[in-house]
Amino acid sequence: MGQKWKYEPLTHEQTVLANTLSAELDISPVLCGLLVRRGITTIADARNFFRPKLSMLHNPFLMKDMDVAVQRLNKALGKKERILVYGDYDVDGTTSVALVYKFLQQFSSNIDYYIPDRNEDGYGISKRGVDYAYSTDVKLVIVLDCGIKAIDEIAYAKSLGIDFIVCDHHVPDDELPCAVAILNPKRVDSTYPCPHLSGCGVGFKFMQAFAMDNGIPADQLYPLLDLVAVSIASDLVPIVGENRILAFHGIKQINHSPSIGLKAIITVCGLQEKEIAINDIIFKIGPRINASGRIQQGKMAVDLLIENNLQSALEMSYQINEFNEARKEIDKNMTEEANNIVAGLESFEERRAIVIFNPDWHRGVIGIVASRLTEVYHRPAVVITCSGEIATGSARSVTGFDLYKAMESCRDLLDNFGGHTYAAGFSLKVENIQAFAARFEEFVAQNILPEQTSPTIEIDAEIGFHQITRKFFNDLKKFSPHGPHNPKPVFCTHNVCDYGTSKVVGRRQEHIKLELVDNLSNKVFNGIAFGQSRQAKYIKSKQSFDICYTLEENTYKHGEVQLQIESIHTKLTR
């Protein structure tokens, strides 16, 4: 399916604002237009965007229940109670547990951590986990990245004399668990200025409040921001506001002084000589941390992230890398099987959602397969497997469609569910799968917009090659870190031509390596168009065409600026 290009020129008012910013900041009007599109319209806001400061972090006590949570933690430490740090088995959960455990370990030796087993415990807080806490004389559980819906489990823990502090960021139900404190910026009664923190971000805010209350210098906490940055990137939360500050400084920490565990993962990924960016976390570091919980035991990821010996950390990283290789093989086979099922669905073109089931699929990989289906078919996708009479599902959404509301519409058919706008997990009885599929499809069909099921590229600015200077590129780099609500800017240039040296490359001859010139200048730019070799014949014909692209730095050619071409429109496709 061809990609649609969407470009809306700046309004007159926006253009005036961009020109004003340009004059004050000595930055290209094009880039100032990008600032205006992001809602940054004053000099002060622009400077804060480009140079976010840790002093700009919100007061953690603005979060509902924070004072109660700190008071209960102080009591536990003062009475030398045994504390258990409990978290989900994914990247956000394991980084959360590692952060809180590492920080509190300085003040107590009577502290432990627990990561549920995907198969034995299921998602979130389990009775098995509570029983473990009771058997080890735990009096306080700090749960991270889950727990907001654990009504029965936390009530059970309370009956055993165990208190819970819940640090979560998933959407809560009307009824909240009977925890001592519930830290969640998505609470209905929350007034916290940043509602989209990651689970690890909520844990960080808790530790920040604890440090402030006890006169502990913030410098003791900030080295743990590398873990927060990994969680923000991997959980795909909006990188704006406070999240931008945390990600900005967390990535600086990763590049200059990462923890031993992350340093080992970076080495195994082959990134030790590279300046690490958000995409390196999303595609290389995060999947390896995740693979532990998907294939084996998520606790191994925490063991690695808190390790202080580099040799031990490297050994664990290589083991987790093997899990990731196994995950990739399972992923490949399951995705192929899933595509075959989709190909056989009756009236597929008329469907607005995909719901598929295979009892033999690995439950640790169904979320990845759902993501792949969403990317390929551009519609919400649900992948389900089962163990016995209980099925487990994972769902992913397309841009702009609220998956959580779709899941809510089916809640009477589900045993349990949780998540947010773009990702959700759930369990249900096998006998309810067919009814769920029909209900989910009906809700999506009634609520999704036609443009949400079409692949669309949002273009930020139309420019000529003469505008791409070294200064332009250096200023552009200040827009990072990129992610949801602050995507990498996409540019469009019309009427470019092959300079004469473009060629098809790749193992299967699927990519095009390009040298291009536009019709307004004599500047020649190198570029790469992944998976677009079908356009090669037209390009070599010397006819002009349009491209949309991001600007990248070619580290193999002394930092040369090159085009990463997202889409090509020829006279045949315009």
Side-chain angles (χ1 to χ4, degrees):
M1 187 186 297
Q3 292 175 310
K4 296 179 181 177
W5 295 8
K6 182 180 179 182
Y7 174 61
E8 293 183 4
L10 295 177
T11 64
H12 174 72
E13 183 183 359
Q14 289 175 320
T15 301
V16 170
L17 283 171
N19 289 333
T20 301
L21 290 175
S22 176
E24 289 285 338
L25 298 170
D26 188 29
I27 290 175
S28 161
V30 171
L31 298 183
C32 288
L34 303 187
L35 291 175
V36 172
R37 287 187 188 279
R38 285 156 173 74
I40 299 163
T41 58
T42 69
I43 302 301
D45 286 346
R47 286 177 175 145
N48 288 338
F49 178 80
F50 288 137
R51 294 190 293 273
K53 298 180 179 64
L54 288 167
S55 59
M56 294 159 53
L57 291 172
H58 300 307
N59 184 334
F61 287 99
L62 293 174
M63 193 176 295
K64 183 79 173 175
D65 278 4
M66 186 63 81
D67 54 343
V68 181
V70 171
Q71 186 179 17
R72 181 63 185 89
L73 177 56
N74 285 340
K75 176 185 172 184
L77 293 170
K79 295 179 68 175
K80 295 183 169 51
E81 292 178 344
R82 187 157 180 77
I83 300 170
L84 183 68
V85 185
Y86 189 121
D88 190 21
Y89 37 63
D90 68 359
V91 179
D92 196 9
T94 52
T95 52
S96 301
V97 169
L99 184 148
V100 172
Y101 179 82
K102 285 177 79 170
F103 192 66
L104 291 183
Q105 197 181 29
Q106 303 171 84
F107 313 106
S108 172
S109 59
N110 201 13
I111 185 169
D112 191 9
Y113 58 91
Y114 186 94
I115 300 293
D117 182 280
R118 189 183 290 266
N119 297 310
E120 297 294 326
D121 295 91
Y123 169 76
I125 301 168
S126 66
K127 183 177 181 296
R128 183 172 178 259
V130 173
D131 287 340
Y132 172 82
Y134 182 70
S135 70
T136 54
D137 198 32
V138 166
K139 298 301 180 188
L140 175 64
V141 176
I142 300 170
V143 60
L144 298 135
D145 192 37
C146 58
I148 197 64
K149 293 191 174 186
I151 308 294
D152 295 339
E153 292 80 4
I154 291 180
Y156 172 60
K158 188 174 182 179
S159 75
L160 298 176
I162 302 170
D163 286 339
F164 264 75
I165 295 173
V166 175
C167 305
D168 203 351
H169 71 133
H170 295 99
V171 179
D173 279 337
D174 293 337
E175 182 183 1
L176 297 176
C178 57
V180 171
I182 297 174
L183 308 178
N184 187 331
K186 289 193 178 74
R187 284 177 60 160
V188 173
D189 56 354
S190 173
T191 57
Y192 191 72
C194 182
H196 299 297
L197 290 169
S198 65
C200 189
V202 177
F204 173 84
K205 298 305 294 186
F206 183 21
M207 293 301 96
Q208 184 189 16
F210 169 74
M212 289 171 62
D213 191 67
N214 288 278
I216 300 164
D219 289 349
Q220 285 186 229
L221 180 61
Y222 291 156
L224 297 172
L225 283 173
D226 55 359
L227 295 169
V228 183
V230 171
S231 81
I232 287 172
S234 300
D235 223 51
L236 299 176
V237 296
I239 304 186
V240 293
E242 189 166 45
N243 279 341
R244 178 172 172 81
I245 302 169
L246 295 169
F248 180 90
H249 289 279
I251 289 173
K252 279 181 67 174
Q253 184 74 27
I254 289 172
N255 279 297
H256 295 108
S257 184
S259 66
I260 295 295
L262 281 178
K263 186 175 183 179
I265 298 174
I266 288 165
T267 301
V268 169
C269 293
L271 296 171
Q272 62 270 43
E273 301 300 324
K274 183 181 184 297
E275 184 175 346
I276 291 167
I278 286 284
N279 274 359
D280 297 310
I281 299 172
I282 293 173
F283 295 111
K284 294 189 176 181
I285 296 171
R288 284 166 172 81
I289 296 173
N290 241 340
S292 179
R294 292 187 187 279
I295 303 299
Q296 196 70 25
Q297 233 290 350
K299 185 176 182 296
M300 292 182 67
V302 180
D303 294 342
L304 168 60
L305 293 172
I306 66 171
E307 180 58 55
N308 290 318
N309 180 278
L310 182 57
Q311 188 56 43
S312 298
L314 283 168
E315 290 171 8
M316 284 189 270
S317 290
Y318 282 113
Q319 177 65 68
I320 282 176
N321 193 56
E322 288 182 19
F323 295 152
N324 192 50
E325 291 301 314
R327 186 274 303 167
K328 286 196 282 189
E329 187 62 28
I330 295 168
D331 168 12
K332 177 184 172 185
N333 294 333
M334 282 174 54
T335 299
E336 186 175 331
E337 292 170 5
N339 282 320
N340 288 336
I341 293 174
V342 171
L345 290 175
E346 191 175 333
S347 305
F348 177 68
E349 289 303 319
E350 298 171 14
R351 297 176 186 239
R352 291 293 166 263
I354 297 170
V355 182
I356 57 175
F357 167 64
N358 185 324
D360 299 323
W361 280 339
H362 193 297
R363 65 190 294 181
V365 184
I366 55 175
I368 298 174
V369 176
S371 293
R372 300 208 189 289
L373 294 177
T374 297
E375 289 169 11
V376 172
Y377 300 105
H378 309 289
R379 58 199 78 187
V382 181
V383 178
I384 306 172
T385 188
C386 74
S387 176
E389 297 301 311
I390 299 298
T392 301
S394 195
R396 298 294 184 270
S397 192
V398 294
T399 301
F401 181 76
D402 192 335
L403 182 67
Y404 190 84
K405 287 184 179 177
M407 301 303 298
E408 276 191 318
S409 74
C410 306
R411 68 184 310 152
D412 58 302
L413 297 170
L414 306 176
D415 290 355
N416 199 2
F417 78 99
H420 44 77
T421 303
Y422 293 115
F426 62 94
S427 61
L428 77 170
K429 295 179 179 61
V430 171
E431 64 196 50
N432 287 337
I433 292 175
Q434 191 171 354
F436 165 80
R439 178 94 61 83
F440 185 83
E441 165 66 31
E442 181 183 11
F443 181 91
V444 174
Q446 290 176 355
N447 291 277
I448 201 164
L449 300 174
E451 57 266 29
Q452 291 172 333
T453 60
S454 300
T456 302
I457 295 179
E458 301 265 355
I459 294 170
D460 291 273
E462 294 182 345
I463 61 174
F465 284 176
H466 66 283
Q467 293 171 278
I468 306 173
T469 63
R470 189 70 219 186
K471 181 180 185 320
F472 181 93
F473 182 70
N474 288 339
D475 289 337
L476 178 66
K477 288 198 293 184
K478 297 174 186 175
F479 280 75
S480 66
H482 298 293
H485 295 202
N486 183 39
K488 182 169 283 190
V490 176
F491 301 102
C492 171
T493 300
H494 295 287
N495 298 313
V496 302
C497 292
D498 175 28
Y499 191 61
T501 52
S502 298
K503 59 183 179 181
V504 173
V505 295
R507 188 183 305 171
R508 294 185 296 275
Q509 299 286 283
E510 68 271 41
H511 314 309
I512 316 175
K513 188 176 180 182
L514 299 146
E515 278 196 319
L516 300 175
V517 62
D518 71 357
N519 67 343
L520 296 176
S521 70
N522 292 320
K523 292 190 78 169
V524 178
F525 273 96
N526 290 316
I528 183 76
F530 292 112
Q532 298 183 62
S533 58
R534 65 190 180 281
Q535 304 278 21
K537 185 176 179 181
Y538 184 95
I539 290 169
K540 296 299 287 183
S541 73
K542 295 291 186 179
Q543 297 184 75
S544 67
F545 52 96
D546 305 334
I547 57 172
C548 67
Y549 54 92
T550 61
L551 292 173
E552 312 294 338
E553 195 161 23
N554 189 334
T555 54
Y556 299 104
K557 289 193 174 183
H558 310 291
E560 176 186 287
V561 179
Q562 67 176 15
L563 317 177
Q564 183 162 313
I565 297 166
E566 304 294 321
S567 182
I568 297 170
H569 277 186
T570 68
K571 289 179 181 177
L572 303 176
T573 59
R574 284 172 184 158

